[in-house]
Amino acid sequence: MQRAKAKDFIRQIVAEDVRRGVFGGRVVTRFPPEPNGYLHIGHAKAIHLNFSIAREFDGRCHLRMDDTNPVTEEPEFIEAIKRDVKWLGYDWGKHFYHASDYFEQMYRFAEELITKGKAYVCELPPEVWKEYRGVPEKPGRESPFRNRPPAESLDLFRRMRAGEFPDGAMVLRAKIDMSSPNLHMRDPVLYRILHAEHPHTGKKWCIYPTYDFAHCLEDSIEGITHSLCTLEFEVHRPVYDWILDQLGIHHPKQIEFARLNLSYTVMSKRLLTRLVNEGKVNGWDDPRLPTLAGLRRRGVPPEAIRNFCDMIGVTRVDSLTDVALLEHAIRDYLNRHAPRAMAVINPLRLVIENYPEKDEETFQAVNNPEDPSAGTRPVPFCRELFIERDDFRIEPPPKYHRLAPGREVRLRYACLVTCTGFDRDPETGEVTTVYCRYDPRSRGGSAPDGRKVKGTIHWVSARHAVPAVFKLYDRLFTVADPADRAKEEGRDITEFLNPHSLRVARGFVEPSLSSAAPLSRWQFERLGYFCADPDSGPRALIFNRTVTLRDSWSRLEKKLAASRDT
Ligand code: ATP
Ligand code: MG
C-alpha cells in the first residue's frame, strides 16, 4: 500500500508555524459539520485531516455542531455524526461544542460592530438588495440605510432580537466595501430574522447569525489555530479576516484544500437528502450511499477509509477521484483481515454418485491464506452439494476451466470430481442437477497422480447448508459525474440512477456462518467480500456484498507500469 510519505502543503504550514512558535506553538483544529444530514466519505477526508494533524502535532481537535441554521437541523443527525466520527476512529475527548452555545457572545460582537459604526440594520428587500449589490465588474450602490446613526441601528437590532419584526423585514449588515470585486465583501448580512425553534436553543432566539458571521467567530472563540476548510471558502476568507480584525479577537489561520469528489455517486447533502426522502434508497445507511453509515453497513472497514484518505492526499486541485481507488483500499484491507468462507449465491445441485448416501465427513479449510495465525476450520461434506450455477456449462466456451460434461474439477479443500451427466427441466431447459463421480484418492483436494486439474470451484454441503439472502450492490449511478451531467443536460439527477444498483439473491452458506455476527466481514471464496447486515440473525441470514474480488484499480496500475516499462 502506498502511503503519503511527503508532508502535504497543510502539514508543512502547520509544522512551520509550530517551529516558529506562532500561536504559542499550539495546534487546535476542528471538524464543524452542519447537523442537517449524515456524514459522507467527503467528510471523512476532512475528519481524517483535522484529527490526524492534531494528533501529529500534540494538539487537539474539536467536534463542533455548526448549528446556526435552525430550519434544517435535527437531533437525529447530531447523534449520527458523533457515531460516525467515533466509528472512523477519532475521539474529541471533552471538546464537543455547539455553535449555538455562542449565540449570546455572537450577539454581543454584533452590537460591538454596530457601536463602532461597522454594521447597520438594512431594510432593503432581498430582491432590491441584489440590484444594489451589483456585479463584480462594477462597484455596487450603497444601501440608503448604510449611514443611519449607530444608535438607530442598535435600537432596531435589539428590537429584532425582541421579536418585534416579521421574518425578512430587515437584516444586520457589515459595513465593508461596496466597490470590492469580491461580492462577499459588499456589505454581507450578519444577522437575519427567523421565527423558528432551534433544536438546541429552543425558542430563545428569533434572529440567527449567517454562516459568514458565525463561522469565523466560532473558530475564534474556541481558540482554533488552523481552520482547515474546502476551497469554496477561499472567497469568504476576506470577510472573516475583516470581522475578526474589527473586533480585535483571536484570529485563526484559515487554509483551504480541495474537496473529495468520487465517481458514480453524489456527495452534496442536498442531493443525498433527496435520495433518502424520495425513497430512491432505503434510508441514510443504505449500503449504496457514500454516507459513512452506508459504507459501514456495506462492510467497509474504517481502516480502509483512512488508508484511502492517505492515498488521495491533500491538495488544492479540484478533481474527481475514481471510486475504483476506494474499492482498491477496501480490498487491500479485507484481503488481509477478512476470514474466508464458502457461500453459494446462485445454487445448482450436485450429486456425487459414488459417495455413499449416509456418509459425511469434514475437510479442513484455510481461514485466511494471508494470515496463517487464523488457522483452519472444519467444513462438512456429503453426497449432495450446492455449487454456483455459473460453474457448470453444458457447452463450455474456450478457456472455461470449470465443470462441464466429462470434465474434472477440484472442489475446494475436498476432492476431485468428474461430471458424468445432468438433469434438465423439460419445460424450461434449465439444468436442475449435475452428476459427478469423485476420486477417493483425492481427499483434501490434491490430484493423486499429479495430473493437472485446472479448475477449482467452491461448494456447500446441501445437508448442512444454511439459507441466506445476498444483497449484491452495484454503483448507484450509471455515469461517473451524475451531478454535473444532470446540470449540463438540464435533466434530473434521478434519471441517472442505476436500476440494477441492488440485486437480491437467495442461496446458501456453510454452517460456520450460521452465527455470523451483525457487521462481521467475510470473503466468500471466488465471490467477493461480504458483511453480515445489522438485520441479519439466526432466523434470516443477510449478507451485503461490500466489493467483488476484481480489482480494476490494481489492473489499471499494472497496465500503466507495463506501459512505462516498454
Ligand atoms: P454540503 O455542501 O453537501 O452541504 P457541507 O460542506 O456544507 O456539505 P458541512 O457539514 O458544512 O457540509 O461540512 C463539514 C466540513 O466537512 C466542512 O469543513 C467541509 O469543508 C468539509 N467537507 C464537506 N464535504 C467535503 C468533501 N466532499 N471533501 C472534503 N471535505 C468536505
Ligand atoms: Mg457547509
Side-chain angles (χ1 to χ4, degrees), residues 30-34 36 40 42-43 45-46 211 228-230 232-233 257-261 267-270:
R30 85 289 178 265
F31 173 64
E34 200 180 331
N36 59 352
H40 52 61
H43 292 117
K45 175 177 179 175
Y211 189 88
L228 313 180
C229 59
T230 38
E232 69 272 21
F233 292 104
F257 62 95
R259 57 170 54 222
L260 168 67
N261 301 301
M267 216 81 95
S268 117
K269 274 195 265 189
R270 186 181 58 79

Side-chain angles (χ1 to χ4, degrees), residues 201-419:
T201 57
K203 290 187 176 140
K204 184 160 182 233
W205 295 90
C206 62
I207 56 171
Y208 290 95
T210 56
Y211 189 88
D212 272 352
F213 188 55
H215 200 79
C216 56
L217 294 180
E218 294 159 23
D219 281 347
S220 176
I221 291 167
E222 288 179 18
I224 301 300
T225 59
H226 297 84
S227 176
L228 313 180
C229 59
T230 38
L231 288 176
E232 69 272 21
F233 292 104
E234 188 168 22
V235 285
H236 297 258
R237 176 150 39 93
V239 180
Y240 305 158
D241 289 343
W242 183 90
I243 293 170
L244 298 174
D245 288 347
Q246 298 308 317
L247 294 167
I249 54 180
H250 168 72
H251 198 144
K253 180 179 278 187
Q254 172 168 312
I255 309 167
E256 303 89 11
F257 62 95
R259 57 170 54 222
L260 168 67
N261 301 301
L262 204 56
S263 62
Y264 296 97
T265 191
V266 291
M267 216 81 95
S268 117
K269 274 195 265 189
R270 186 181 58 79
L271 292 174
L272 291 171
T273 305
R274 259 196 73 189
L275 295 175
V276 172
N277 290 347
E278 293 176 16
K280 304 290 184 199
V281 294
N282 303 315
W284 284 100
D285 66 347
D286 187 298
R288 289 168 292 182
L289 289 179
T291 53
L292 296 181
L295 293 169
R296 174 169 58 235
R297 184 163 195 168
R298 185 154 173 164
V300 175
E303 295 88 348
I305 297 179
R306 299 201 300 262
N307 291 343
F308 167 72
C309 290
D310 285 336
M311 289 181 204
I312 57 174
V314 193
T315 69
R316 284 180 53 86
V317 184
D318 257 324
S319 64
L320 181 64
T321 298
D322 191 338
V323 69
L325 180 61
L326 173 62
E327 291 167 355
H328 170 72
I330 297 168
R331 284 188 194 98
D332 178 74
Y333 183 86
L334 290 176
N335 179 41
R336 285 175 284 128
H337 295 93
R340 275 48 170 177
M342 290 200 282
V344 173
I345 284 183
N346 198 2
L348 173 63
R349 209 165 71 103
L350 180 145
V351 176
I352 303 172
E353 294 169 312
N354 60 338
Y355 196 90
E357 173 79 52
K358 288 201 197 70
D359 281 9
E360 57 182 64
E361 63 191 292
T362 58
F363 291 108
Q364 289 300 311
V366 174
N367 284 331
N368 187 348
E370 303 286 321
D371 176 10
S373 72
T376 61
R377 69 188 183 286
V379 279
F381 179 88
C382 68
R383 179 183 162 93
E384 280 195 30
L385 312 173
F386 292 119
I387 63 166
E388 214 64 65
R389 194 161 275 282
D390 274 356
D391 284 340
F392 175 77
R393 294 282 181 91
I394 299 170
E395 287 168 29
K399 291 195 184 162
Y400 185 87
H401 298 303
R402 297 172 255 168
L403 207 54
R407 291 265 185 98
E408 185 172 45
V409 295
R410 174 179 294 103
L411 293 174
R412 185 96 159 127
Y413 304 118
C415 59
L416 304 177
V417 293
T418 303
C419 177

Side-chain angles (χ1 to χ4, degrees), residues 426-555:
E427 272 173 28
T428 63
E430 198 187 56
V431 177
T432 51
T433 306
V434 174
Y435 297 94
C436 289
R437 293 183 70 81
Y438 87 114
D439 182 343
R441 296 167 306 159
S442 67
R443 277 202 168 79
S446 49
D449 47 10
R451 66 181 183 263
K452 279 261 177 302
V453 178
K454 269 200 172 162
T456 297
I457 65 174
H458 62 275
W459 52 275
V460 176
S461 159
R463 192 178 296 162
H464 307 91
V466 185
V469 170
F470 302 91
K471 296 194 172 172
L472 309 173
Y473 298 102
D474 199 351
R475 286 160 186 180
L476 187 53
F477 289 94
T478 53
V479 294
D481 50 349
D484 289 348
R485 281 284 291 275
K487 212 186 274 169
E488 279 162 24
E489 298 175 19
R491 291 163 69 184
D492 190 77
I493 188 136
T494 57
E495 292 177 45
F496 296 102
L497 281 169
N498 175 5
H500 308 294
S501 60
L502 169 59
R503 199 159 63 79
V504 179
R506 284 165 206 283
F508 298 95
V509 292
E510 63 170 79
S512 72
L513 285 166
S514 60
S515 55
L519 293 180
S520 56
R521 306 183 188 100
W522 308 88
Q523 185 197 101
F524 290 159
E525 298 217 15
R526 301 179 60 236
L527 296 175
Y529 295 99
F530 286 74
C531 167
D533 191 82
D535 291 341
S536 183
R539 284 200 289 154
L541 288 176
I542 306 167
F543 291 96
N544 295 320
R545 185 172 68 196
T546 314
V547 280
T548 60
L549 295 173
R550 220 179 35 232
D551 193 332
S552 55
W553 184 266
S554 284
R555 285 195 306 180

